[in-house]
Every structure is written in C-alpha cells, then in structure tokens.
C-alpha cells in the first residue's frame, strides 16, 4: 500500500471534521474491503480515518416498530443479536452468512452499505425492508440510496451513522454463492412490509434492484409457486466465468422461491 | 522383548513431532528469516501475454528514494538459461525444442507475469514505488492462450526457431500391433476430454533470500523449495556458474508445495546473483496475486482416446492422443510429466494388451505448467477411469463388473505392462471389495430414491486406480532423458549417549517426515522417537539428496536410512563382540540391544555408541571410532500404490450445485509406518481431487489474461465442500525396497477425480449425459440439466 496519514477520532463530529477538511481522506470501518484495495494499490487516500473508536456508532436498538443498527456494528453482532433474531430473523440469517467467520468479526453494516458492492448481502435487506439510511447530515430512503455498482447517494465525506429497519410482517432471504469468492451470485430478499410487498435481487445485476413482476405476483398470491412462475430477464445482468447472465436470471427465480419459503 | 513403551515403531500412530512448532506459530519459514542489511526485491511483471519490449527505461525509477539497484534482461543476458531437467526425444529421435528461459525478459515477454525487471530497494514499499516508475513500452503481439490457438496455421511464434510452437511430438507403444487390435475389436469406445489446468496455491507463497560473503566468496540461498540440493545443482551449475562448494541452499520450514516448489525459479537466481553484485542480502517474497501468475501450474491436457473391447467386455487395446500445455517456457520437470509419468500409467490396473499413446507438447502464452500433486498419474487415471465407465455404459456391462473382468490378477505379478512399467504387487479385487463394502455400494439404490423424494439427484461412482511412486531407477530414467539421478541419501548419526540424528535428502513441507523417519529409527534401533532428530533442507548439513516429490521420500529416502542403519548395526556388532568377548557371528541385535546369542549377556546401543566415541576399550586396529553411517539408495523400480475410491454425490437440479455426500478411499500404499499420517495424506489428496473435479480451473481469456487470477475467481476447496472421507488401507508389500512401502502422498489426488466425476455422470443419467468435463461447476451442471429439460419439452 501507499503511505497515508492515520486518524482515530472518538466522535462522529471529529471524524466528519477530518473528512470534510480533506477530500482525499477515507473512512475505514472493518477494513474488509478497503484494506485489500489499499494493499493492491488500487486506492491512494491521503488519510485513513478509523471509525472503530466511535462508541456511538455501535450496537442494535429496538425503537418501537423499528430496529436501529449502528454503522459500526459487525456482521457477527447482528447475526447474534437477540433483538434482530426476534424482530427480523431473515436479517440475522443474512448477517450470519456473509463471507467467513473472520470477515463477520471485522466487517460492518455501515461499510457494507456504504460500499454497495453488487454482490454484497446487506443492500438487499436494506432495500427490501424499506429501511432508512441515517447519515451525519440527513436521512435517505433506501429507494434513493443505492445508485448502481459501488455507487450510493452518500456525498464525499458524508458518514453513514445507522440504518433504521422497519419491522416487517415477514421476510426471507436466499442466495446462491459464487463458488470461488462466496459473495452473492444471485440472491433474493422478499418482505411483506407496511409499504407493501418488496422483492429485491442482489448479486445478479450491476446493483441491487426491485423485481416489480415478482412483487406483483406475490401481492396477488404470497406463495413460492406464484413467485416461481415469474421469469427474470437476463438482459443487463452480470455474466462472468462462474455464471452467465442466463444462469443468473434462472437463479433469481429459484432464490425468490426459496426466500418466500423461508419467510413462511 | 522389545519393550519400548508406548510402542512408537512401524505401525504406530505417533503424533507429529513437528506440529508443536507449526501449530504454535513457531515454524521458521523463508519469509521469517531476515539477514542483517538485507534489501528487498520486487519483480516488475508483464501485463501482456505476448509482447515485444520496445522501450524499457529505468532511469527515473533508479532515482527514486531507497532504490539500491534495478536490473533488466540486459544485465543478465550473459548468464545461463533457467534449465530444464528432462529431455524428451521426438518420434524421429531428434531432441525436443528447448528455448532459452531467461532470468529476466530479453526483449520479449511470453506470459502475463513474465519477469521484466527487478527493483532492489531498502524497503518493499520503495521497491514497489520505483517499479511503478519504470517506463515500459510494449508492442503487443498476438497471443496463444490455448494449445489450439498456438497450433493454428499462422499462429505467432512464441520462441524464435520453434516451429508450430511445438516442443515435442513423442510416442510410446507399437502402433501396428495397436491398430490390429482395434481392427479385430467387437466394440470401440471413443472419448475426448480436457484435464483442467490447476494452480497449486500452497499456503506459503514462494520466497527467496540471496546472500553473499565477499570474504569467502560463499553464496547462500534461503528458498521455499522441496529439494534444495537440486536447486543448488541447477542454479549453481547452469545459471550462475557457482561451484557447489561455494553455494549453500537452505529450504527451512516450507508451507506446502504440491509440486509447485520443486522447480528452479528465476527469482532464486535473481536474488542470489543480485546479492553477489550488491554485496548485501536480497530478499524477495511473492504475493498471492503474483503467485497465481508465476508459480508453475498443473495438468492442462487435451486428449482423444479410444478403447477396443471384445464381445465380453475384455479390453483389447487403448489408443491415446494427448496434447499437453507446457506454457511459455519449460519448467524443470515439465517435459516428463505428460510422457513418462502419464503414458506409462495408461495400463492402470487392467490387462489391456496393447497401448499406443502419442503426446504433443505445445508452447502457449501462459504460465509454465509442471508437476502438480500426482503429476501425470492423475491425468492418466482420470482418462482411463472415465473411459471405463463410458465403456460400461455403452456395452451394457455393469461398471464394477467390467473392471473385475479386466483386472490384473494377483497371480500375474510381476506384471509387465505394454507401456514399459513392471508392477511388483497389488490386489485390485481386494481394494475394490473393501471399498464397495465400506461405501455400502449395494445399498445405494435406496439412497438414490430417498434423495429423489427430496428433489435431489444422487449418484455414485468408483475408480480403481494405480499409480507409480519413487521414480526410479537412475540408469533407466537417465536413458529416458532425466538429467539427474533419482536415488536418495540418508545419514544416521548415533551420538555418544545413544540419541540419534538423521540427515535426509528428502524434504518435508507438510508430510510429517520428522515423525515418520524417527519411527523408522525407533523401530530398527530401539531409540525413542523423542531422541531422534531429523535434519533436512540444508545443503550444508545433509550430504546430498534429490528432495521430495512423486511420493518418494519414504520409499527411496526411508530405504537409504534403513541401509545406513544396517551399517550402524553391523559396526555395532563388532564393537559389542569386542566388549563382550564374543565372536561377531554370535552377536544378535534387536531394537536397541546387542546380545550374545543364547546368553543373557547384552549391551545397549548407548553403551556401544559411548564405546565408539570414547574408545578406551575398543577394537581400534579393526574399526574406526565413531558411529555414523551414510547410505545412498537407488531404487530398483517404481513402487505401485493402487486402490479404489468411491464418491457419492447429490445434485440440486434447481441450481446445479454438486455436493459430495460421502467419500470412501481404500488404498494399498504398501507397509504403513504411521496410520494417522497416511490418513491425513489421503484426506488432503482427496480434498485436492475434489477440488479438481468440482471447483478448480485456471481460466485464460483469448488474449492470455488470467481470469482466475485470485481467490475471488480461483475456487479452492473449503472445509464445507468436503464430505467425511473414510480412509482404509489394504496392504500388499512392495517387493523391492527394504521397508515394503509404496507411498501415500498422491493417491488421494489421483484416485478421487474420476470417482467424483463418475458419480456426477451417474446422478445425471436421467438426462442422457455421456460425460461432464471438470470442474463440474453449478453453472455447467445447470446447463446440462436445462438443456435436457428443453430437449424433453420439445
Ligand atoms: C474474504 C471476504 C469475503 C467477503 N464476503 C462477503 C459476502 O459474502 N457478502 C458480503 O456482503 N460481503 C462480503 N465481504 C465484505 C465484508 O462483508 C465487509 O462488510 C465489507 O467489506 C465492508 O465493510 P467494512 O466494515 O469492512 O468496510 P471498509 O472496508 O472499512 O470500508 C468499505 C468502504 O466503505 C467506506 N465506509 C466505511 N464505513 C463507512 C461509513 N460509516 N460511512 C461512510 N463510508 C464508510 C470506506 O471508506 C470504504 O470505501 C467479504 C469480504 C472479504 C474480505
């Protein structure tokens, strides 16, 4: 990696101050994405701002009919949280299946959502559960937050503080892993929420997206067979040595069925 | 009489002595070694598969902070070529094409990852920074990423003077006899397949430190090698012209090799040479991404073959045409892998009377290919065992029955195959029966139905394999083109108070030699394992050796130790006779005790060794003091492990994902010294075999870019991909080495891929599938099922 300055602030305000003073400074949470990029010299930040000393960013809270998860909460802590397991078991299950045990003990929800890797797990849950992304400046609806491959509504220097998940009536998640990287090759998160039925596909396309035909089918008839009758078009989906766009399109329907079955 | 408790001799599952240091992080690997004043090397590598270097300007880079030196091919052009250790001859008797393999590119790069320049700096970071400042302008040439592209008419020449990019065109067997067998056959079964290219990915990446002492002129190379003496010979004699007496090669703890650390690599020569030029140690450590594009790859065969059968399913003849990818340069043992380690294995466990095999070795713009766990034998076994299953399907004979009908019977040994080898022992029916029983083959149909009820496709498959270990004898391999001997060296040093140091030319990089070899000493000399130290991996300590590969360490290296121990015992008897005033003929020795036959007069080994080193009362006129003996052992033949592997798989038809549910291995590895270590070796081999069958593939695009160039895209097996692996052994002894051992390091990787693939094809039999290529990835299986469903619907 290239040399950079290192800061470890203890409050959001201090972190924001450093970040806004230097457009080439980057926050680091679990480092599970940023560190490999630095090691490969794919990134050349002037400074790295380590968020791990900011206590207010950590932990899960139940607030009425929603769960608020701090940006710095590790995948393992979400997976093992009794609050998450009780309120949104599909979210706990999703967190328990990210990467491997080392990654789950370092990687954070904030880092994952801010990064918006098309093959990541969390963005599917955030979008399907109609969550709200809270930053140091504003509140962003999930529908407005994810803007395609590795792109989000976050502005340079803007810090993700927490994600607020409204508790759904039911939700389910299923994914097929890329055999090599074990990231998502095609996944589906389905949820019956107050704002309606939402079906979100991850892994298959250049970013997470809502599958309107599947949402329609499930609104008419909440069942695995009903969603299983919806074919996903391969147009615009990703293709690589592990899975062509056609294969991914096929998997989308299979995973949607499984997600509905898992949701019950 | 032998009262060593607990029993630690041959057959005991002694816990591995080396594991305490490995598991507590106290191993000493090459990168753990730091020499005073060392500088760091970083290799600038080619981003192109095939290109001419038009401009290579290091001036700006040389001025960067911390840079000590930058070298390019212009600096090393006068040095030797990285040598190849085996020369194959063409059908017409002419030698293979053997183009120069430069340490650093000389005007041209031939694969992504080829070495363009080396930057040596005060820190790794500074070396990398400077490498980014080197100006290189390439004229990109058409690349041949596949053998088909390299052989296409008008394909660009990868090396000047190598017509058609052909390294050699070799054959074995009598073609006329073979043709006649096919002409007389009742049935001919044809089969084409690709043996997928693999990348070993040892846990420890390669590393090398070169050091030079200007006062003595001595060079030292610390390197991640499976055979330090071979590196000393190849690098010293052929590349850098350093006499053996001035070059010490140390291979300390090495974290896995699987073949990829046998070869002499350019980086070893670069750091050694640069250390001499600069007068300070130079260290290079490979990064994982770099190792994908610079460690030798494995396998990569494209084969067409045919089996002739009579009306009863007896094999009449086998015809094989293989193209083997050599990559851009010849790695150390590359030419012998698809010839003498492959074609000679095509008889397998069967009585096929005639075999004809031709092999074309082809240069391509890819990383060099060389031996990888099994080296040629997995390719032969896969071909044969898939072919036999296809033949069973197409003749309607049960796949177990067709094997039984063709097995070499137990009374046929020694058995001469039509492809040069002579098998000494084996019992293929016994290993097959044991595996069928252990896997409950007979009860499979019920499991298939239970799986079907859950919507899963279940299949079972077997392979009955044979392989050849402990490559030998030197005179024969020499006549076949080997440029080295293939004996091994062992020294037994009995210390004055009776503890023992073993010096061996074999090298342990995960195999547990420090334990197995100590057990040999415990068994024969009666010295407790805790008092036996095994020294390996240092040319300054061990007299000589050929290293570890081809499952040779015990069969060849262990045999050398036995010979040395026999010399110890013979000398000890003379000393004992003197001390007990008896005649030498009357002295018996049994595990640590010398006895005057028929009496209770005894001397312990420690008393004898003390007398040997403190020779106050000693037959000094007759024998020298001291108790240390060295033996060179040149094997008389290969050893021939064999056995039966059975895999059971379940396929999820919705996703195409294959799960190995159960794996049974029954192997004949000859005498078992440490059953626990054998079990571990077989399990590790099976893990790699399942990796080849289901997960692993080195994939290049048509421009020669390595698409599977990191763990993100190259799929190594993980624990969750592996079933419980049941391991059992059934022993027939090797008849020509003193231990009766055969070798267990590679059987797992050799027997398992066809067993898994036969199970996959069996699971898919409802879809009219004849064959599935490795690796059977979810996408591939889904494609087959999907195409089958479409066909059914039409
Ligand atoms: C081997 C491996 C396997 C993996 N497998 C999976 C998988 O299967 N599924 C999956 O979803 N993920 C997977 N990951 C990714 C992992 O889950 C991490 O969550 C992810 O890398 C990002 O989280 P992090 O905390 O590590 O972020 P970091 O690496 O620290 O940061 C990632 C990016 O987000 C920015 N950032 C971090 N925190 C904030 C913040 N609070 N506000 C604004 N920007 C921020 C950083 O500047 C950086 O650009 C894997 C990672 C590895 C190494």
């Amino acid at each position: 990696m290239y040399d950079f300055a290192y800061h470890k602030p203890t409050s959001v305000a201090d972190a924001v101050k450093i970040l806004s003073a230097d457009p080439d400074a980057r926050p680091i949470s679990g480092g599970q994405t940023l560190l490999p990029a630095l090691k490969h010299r794919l990134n050349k930040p002037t400074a790295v701002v380590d968020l791990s000393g900011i206590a207010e960013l950590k932990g899960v809270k139940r607030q009425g009919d929603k769960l608020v998860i701090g940006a710095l909460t590790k995948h393992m802590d979400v997976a093992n949280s009794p609050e998450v397991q009780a309120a949104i078991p599909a979210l706990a299950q999703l967190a328990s299946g990210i990467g491997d045990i080392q990654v789950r003990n370092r990687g954070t929800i904030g880092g994952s959502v801010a990064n918006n890797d098309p093959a990541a797990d969390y963005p599917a849950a955030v979008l399907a559960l109609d969550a709200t992304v809270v930053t140091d400046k504003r509140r962003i609806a999930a529908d407005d937050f994810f803007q395609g491959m590795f792109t989000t509504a976050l502005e340079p220097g803007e810090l993700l503080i927490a994600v607020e998940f409204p508790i759904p009536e039911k939700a389910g998640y299923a994914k097929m892993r890329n055999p090599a990287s074990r990231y998502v090759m095609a996944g589906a998160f389905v949820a019956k929420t107050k704002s309606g039925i939402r079906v979100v596909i991850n892994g298959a396309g250049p970013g997470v997206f809502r599958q309107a035909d599947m949402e329609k089918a499930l609104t008419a008839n909440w069942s695995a067979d009903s969603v299983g009758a919806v074919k996903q078009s391969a147009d615009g989906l990703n293709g690589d040595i592990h899975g062509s766009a056609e294969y991914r399109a096929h998997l989308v329907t299979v995973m949607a069925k499984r997600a509905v079955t898992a949701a019950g | 009489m032998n009262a060593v408790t607990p029993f630690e001799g041959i057959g005991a599952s002694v816990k591995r002595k080396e594991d305490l240091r490995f598991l507590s992080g106290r191993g000493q690997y090459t990168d753990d070694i730091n020499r005073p004043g060392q500088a760091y090397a970083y290799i600038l590598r080619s981003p192109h598969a095939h290109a001419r270097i038009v401009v290579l300007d290091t001036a700006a880079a040389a001025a960067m902070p911390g840079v000590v030196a930058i070298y390019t091919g212009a600096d090393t052009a006068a040095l030797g070529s990285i040598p190849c250790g085996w020369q194959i001859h063409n059908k017409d008797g002419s030698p293979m094409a053997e183009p120069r393999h430069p340490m650093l590119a000389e005007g041209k790069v031939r694969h992504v990852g080829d070495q363009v320049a080396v930057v040596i700096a005060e820190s790794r970071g500074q070396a990398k920074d400077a490498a980014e400042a080197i100006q290189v302008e390439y004229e990109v040439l058409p690349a041949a990423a596949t053998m088909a592209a390299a052989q296409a008419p008008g394909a660009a020449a990868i090396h000047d003077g190598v017509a058609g990019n052909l390294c050699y065109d070799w054959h074995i067997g009598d073609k006329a006899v073979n043709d006649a067998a096919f002409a007389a056959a009742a049935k001919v079964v044809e089969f084409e397949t690709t043996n997928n290219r693999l990348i070993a990915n040892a846990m420890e990446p390669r590393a090398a430190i070169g050091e030079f002492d200007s006062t003595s002129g001595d060079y030292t190379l610390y390197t991640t090698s499976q055979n330090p003496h071979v590196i000393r010979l190849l690098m010293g004699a052929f590349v850098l012209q350093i006499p053996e007496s001035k070059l010490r090669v140390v291979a300390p703890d090495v974290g896995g090799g699987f073949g990829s650390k046998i070869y002499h690599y350019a980086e070893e020569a670069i750091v050694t040479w640069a250390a001499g030029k600069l007068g300070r140690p130079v260290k290079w450590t490979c990064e994982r991404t770099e190792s994908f594009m610079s460690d030798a790859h494995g396998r990569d065969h494209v084969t067409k073959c045919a089996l002739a059968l009579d009306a009863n399913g007896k094999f009449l003849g086998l015809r094989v045409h293989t193209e083997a990818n050599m990559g851009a340069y010849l790695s150390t043992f590359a030419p012998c892998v698809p010839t003498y380690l492959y074609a000679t294995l095509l008889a397998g466990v069967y009585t096929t009377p005639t075999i004809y095999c031709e092999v074309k070795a082809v240069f391509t713009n890819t990383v060099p290919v060389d031996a990888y766990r099994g080296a040629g034998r997995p390719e032969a076994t896969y071909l044969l065992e898939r072919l036999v299953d296809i033949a069973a399907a197409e003749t309607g004979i049960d796949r177990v029955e067709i094997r039984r009908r063709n097995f070499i019977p137990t009374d046929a040994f020694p058995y001469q195959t039509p492809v040069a080898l002579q098998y000494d022992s084996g019992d293929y029916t016994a290993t097959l029966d044991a595996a069928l029983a252990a896997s409950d083959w007979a009860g499979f149909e019920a499991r298939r139905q239970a799986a079907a009820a859950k919507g899963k496709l279940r299949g079972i498959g077997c392979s009955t394999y044979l392989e050849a270990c402990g490559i030998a004898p030197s005179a024969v391999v020499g006549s076949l083109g080997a440029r080295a001997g293939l004996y091994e060296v062992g020294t037994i040093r009995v210390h004055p108070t009776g503890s023992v140091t073993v010096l061996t030319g074999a090298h342990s990089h995960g195999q547990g030699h420090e334990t197995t070899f100590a057990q040999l000493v415990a068994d024969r000399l009666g010295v407790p394992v805790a008092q036996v130290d095994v020294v390996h991996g240092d040319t300054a300590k061990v007299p000589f050796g050929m290293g570890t590969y081809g499952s040779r360490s015990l069969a060849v290296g262990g045999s050398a130790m036995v010979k040395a121990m026999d010399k110890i015992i013979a000398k000890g008897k003379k000393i004992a006779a003197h001390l007990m005033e008896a005649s030498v003929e009357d002295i018996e020795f049994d595990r640590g005790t010398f006895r005057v036959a028929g009496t209770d007069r005894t001397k312990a080994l420690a008393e004898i060794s003390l007398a040997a080193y403190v020779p106050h009362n000693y037959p000094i006129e007759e024998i020298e003091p001291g108790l240390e003996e060295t033996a060179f052992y040149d094997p008389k033949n290969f050893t021939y492990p064999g056995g039966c592997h059975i895999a059971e798989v379940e396929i999820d038809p919705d996703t195409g994902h294959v799960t190995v549910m159960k794996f049974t291995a029954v192997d004949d590895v000859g005498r078992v010294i440490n059953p626990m270590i054998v079990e571990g070796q077989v399990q590790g081999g099976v893990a790699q075999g399942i990796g080849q069958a289901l997960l692993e593939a080195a994939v290049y695009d048509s421009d020669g870019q390595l698409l599977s160039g990191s763990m993100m895209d190259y799929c190594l097996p993980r624990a969750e991909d592996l079933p419980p692996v049941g391991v059992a052994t059934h022993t027939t002894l090797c008849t020509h080495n003193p231990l009766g051992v055969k070798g267990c390091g590679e059987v797992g990787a050799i027997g398992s891929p066809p067993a898994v693939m036969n199970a996959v094809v069996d699971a898919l039999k409802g879809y009219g599938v004849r064959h599935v290529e490795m690796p059977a990835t979810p996408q591939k299986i889904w494609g087959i099922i999907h195409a089958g469903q479409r066909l059914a619907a039409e």
Side-chain angles (χ1 to χ4, degrees), chain B residues 56-64 67 70-72 75 117-119 130 133-135:
Chain B
L56 178 52
D57 181 353
T58 60
M64 301 269 293
V67 173
I70 300 178
Y71 299 113
T72 67
D75 301 296
V118 58
V119 181
I134 294 178
Q135 306 283 318

Side-chain angles (χ1 to χ4, degrees), chain B residues 688-762:
Chain B
Q688 283 177 315
I690 290 174
Q692 168 158 34
L694 301 181
L695 308 168
E696 298 183 44
V699 181
Y700 282 93
D701 73 8
S702 56
D703 294 329
Q705 292 294 331
L706 183 57
L707 298 180
S708 55
S710 79
M711 298 293 184
M712 293 296 280
D713 287 301
Y714 186 86
C715 184
L716 282 178
R718 290 156 161 95
E720 68 179 50
D721 297 314
L722 303 170
V725 178
V727 178
T729 52
H730 174 93
T731 301
T732 64
L733 295 179
C734 170
T735 61
H736 56 77
N737 67 41
L739 288 164
V741 297
K742 295 184 176 179
C744 69
E746 294 158 296
V747 292
I750 292 168
S752 58
V756 173
M757 295 312 294
N758 286 343
V760 167
V761 173
D762 182 52

Side-chain angles (χ1 to χ4, degrees), chain A residues 26-34 51 71 75 98-99 103 107-108 111-112 114-115 120-121 154 158-160 182-183:
Chain A
R26 292 284 294 276
I28 190 165
S29 290
Q32 296 303 289
T33 293
L34 190 55
L51 305 181
H75 308 333
I98 297 174
V103 169
T108 67
S112 177
N115 193 48
D121 289 281
L154 287 177
E158 188 171 6
L159 266 193
L160 203 159
R182 310 274 156 132
Y183 274 79

